[in-house]
Amino acid sequence: MSVASVAALRTAGSGRRCRAGSPHIGLNGGRFLMMQRRELVTKAGIALSVCCSMPTSSASANGSALGLQVLPFKADGYNFWTWRGRRIHYVEQGAGQPIVLIHGFGASAFHWRYNIPELAKKYKVYAIDLLGFGWSEKALVDYEATIWMEQVSDFLREVVKEPAVLVGNSLGGFTTLFTATEVPELARGVVLLNSAGQFADPNRPAAAPTEEEEESNPVARFIVKPLKEAFQRVVLGFVFWQSKQPARVEKVLKSVYIDSSNVDDYLVGSITAPTADPNSGEVYYRLMSRFMSNQSRYTLDRLLGKLSCPLLLLWGDLDPWVGPAKAARIEEFYADTTVVHLQAGHCPHDEAPEQTNRALLEWLASLDARPRPAEPSLQAL
């Protein structure tokens, strides 16, 4: 993830703050362990604190007060699709042009609890749980940056079966953008809500040694790597245990929801549900130690340079991690961009669902009114 966590060391039980994205760590005396600990704790705090929302059996009273329908919670999930032999959970409602909603790191399809029922009044809405999250299988695989892009691409081909508007929050935004650049024929439009991802830094130091280079170095292979992995497991194991405690979850959520009214039992109690899976701890370790370290290979400027469909930014300007400056830079970089600024934090779709739904529906209506590219004729083929 590219966001800077204001609560990174709080998640690990420390009172000091750390800066995200620390440089590559080499074996440099005691500095190795100190800097590696800082990097891991910061990233781990980001991962489990970003928009976590696995629901419990109660619906939000606040949603009813707002006049919004709330997605009913089903303990066994809604629908399941088999992808590469793994069970993938998704919600499907409504009819019409398809929209696919993709949650952020640590969340699930249920994080769209206030959005699915409203959008489904006019559109066919899908909300998918990414592999390793929510009610999808906690697969023990290598979580590279491409894995969720491939999952969503295949979901579009096999389940949706026609071009769709892709909507993503945080990590889901990064996955949405990545997918739209790899299968442009399946993306009618892209909507990013406080998306993860970073622009390339021309002043960044030389890249860290590749895994192949490290394997060829006996000292790195037999001393540095085992020590590094052992240290990672200890630190991340502790952070994972700390981060799934209800009091900690509530505290972190309230730090990213500027209006904490929707930080309710539906939201807080749910984060512990997936952690009951025996593989959840190992999945968390793999996500943090592998995926989080290689996102820099897929920068926003690289992805936006390949994008070919309309883009909407629904941006919570009060986000303590990803502020409006990032939205401004995306708009400057990509011409076909519409920006709607919302008075909300990192998860505007759940914190300010009325604003989000209204802005999204207005943009979708304008997208529907655009002339569509002509389908190639059989004669032309």
Side-chain angles (χ1 to χ4, degrees):
M1 306 279 282
S2 64
V3 296
S5 173
V6 295
L9 284 184
R10 288 186 225 160
T11 307
S14 170
R16 295 176 296 171
R17 295 183 181 180
C18 286
R19 180 175 58 86
S22 51
H24 171 68
I25 310 302
L27 184 60
N28 185 16
R31 186 167 173 264
F32 165 73
L33 292 180
M34 180 178 69
M35 293 182 68
Q36 185 66 17
R37 179 180 187 276
R38 181 173 62 186
E39 178 179 358
L40 286 172
V41 171
T42 301
K43 290 179 177 178
I46 293 169
L48 208 58
S49 62
V50 172
C51 298
C52 297
S53 65
M54 319 302 176
T56 60
S57 58
S58 62
S60 170
N62 189 52
S64 300
L66 292 172
L68 295 174
Q69 289 180 269
V70 182
L71 179 71
F73 169 68
K74 293 186 178 180
D76 296 327
Y78 277 76
N79 307 286
F80 289 89
W81 163 61
T82 300
W83 180 65
R84 300 182 180 178
R86 309 292 186 180
R87 274 167 56 88
I88 302 298
H89 173 251
Y90 69 96
V91 177
E92 177 182 343
Q93 287 190 4
Q97 290 289 332
I99 302 172
V100 178
L101 307 175
I102 306 172
H103 61 80
F105 205 115
S108 74
F110 287 96
H111 204 195
W112 304 98
R113 53 181 170 165
Y114 298 126
N115 316 111
I116 293 172
E118 293 299 311
L119 297 174
K121 293 175 181 178
K122 294 186 178 181
Y123 297 94
K124 182 70 168 287
V125 182
Y126 299 88
I128 186 172
D129 284 356
L130 298 176
L131 186 69
F133 296 113
W135 276 250
S136 286
E137 186 169 340
K138 308 301 178 289
L140 301 183
V141 299
D142 289 335
Y143 286 92
E144 300 293 338
T146 57
I147 191 166
W148 296 307
M149 177 275 293
E150 293 170 355
Q151 177 192 341
V152 175
S153 298
D154 288 343
F155 183 78
L156 291 169
R157 293 188 188 97
E158 299 177 20
V159 179
V160 181
K161 298 182 180 178
E162 61 179 308
V165 172
L166 308 179
V167 183
N169 169 237
S170 195
L171 172 67
F174 174 82
T175 301
T176 290
L177 186 60
F178 199 175
T179 302
T181 64
E182 294 300 307
V183 287
E185 71 280 5
L186 297 177
R188 292 184 58 228
V190 167
V191 182
L192 304 181
L193 295 91
N194 296 65
S195 179
Q198 55 192 313
F199 284 90
D201 182 0
N203 300 317
R204 186 177 180 181
T210 64
E211 189 171 323
E212 290 77 10
E213 291 173 334
E214 290 180 344
E215 286 294 322
S216 65
N217 184 328
V219 174
R221 182 179 181 183
F222 296 109
I223 299 177
V224 178
K225 188 176 180 179
L227 285 174
K228 178 180 177 181
E229 290 181 352
F231 187 75
Q232 284 177 335
R233 284 193 176 276
V234 171
V235 173
L236 291 177
F238 174 72
V239 171
F240 178 66
W241 178 83
Q242 278 276 72
S243 299
K244 67 182 182 179
Q245 305 304 315
R248 180 71 62 183
V249 172
E250 181 177 4
K251 185 175 182 180
V252 173
L253 286 170
K254 286 183 175 180
S255 76
V256 294
Y257 278 58
I258 306 306
D259 178 355
S260 61
S261 301
N262 286 346
V263 179
D264 52 17
D265 290 342
Y266 186 110
L267 192 62
V268 176
S270 64
I271 189 174
T272 59
T275 64
D277 188 292
N279 288 344
S280 61
E282 178 64 19
V283 167
Y284 181 76
Y285 168 75
R286 294 186 182 207
L287 286 168
M288 298 310 305
S289 62
R290 302 180 191 182
F291 170 74
M292 299 297 287
S293 65
N294 65 23
Q295 277 195 95
S296 60
R297 288 185 290 173
Y298 306 96
T299 58
L300 290 178
D301 42 318
R302 174 181 170 184
L303 297 180
L304 290 167
K306 297 172 63 179
L307 191 65
S308 58
C309 63
L311 174 64
L312 170 65
L313 305 180
L314 293 177
W315 219 264
D317 283 350
L318 305 180
D319 185 349
W321 296 338
V322 188
K326 187 173 187 179
R329 190 170 181 188
I330 293 173
E331 183 183 19
E332 181 181 355
F333 193 96
Y334 190 70
D336 194 2
T337 300
T338 302
V339 183
V340 177
H341 296 279
L342 303 173
Q343 294 300 297
H346 191 66
C347 309
H349 58 296
D350 192 63
E351 180 185 342
E354 283 187 313
Q355 296 178 49
T356 301
N357 291 341
R358 181 167 56 251
L360 180 53
L361 286 168
E362 288 176 359
W363 183 80
L364 289 169
S366 70
L367 183 64
D368 293 340
R370 288 193 183 195
R372 297 190 184 183
E375 295 284 343
S377 67
L378 292 177
Q379 291 181 344
L381 293 175

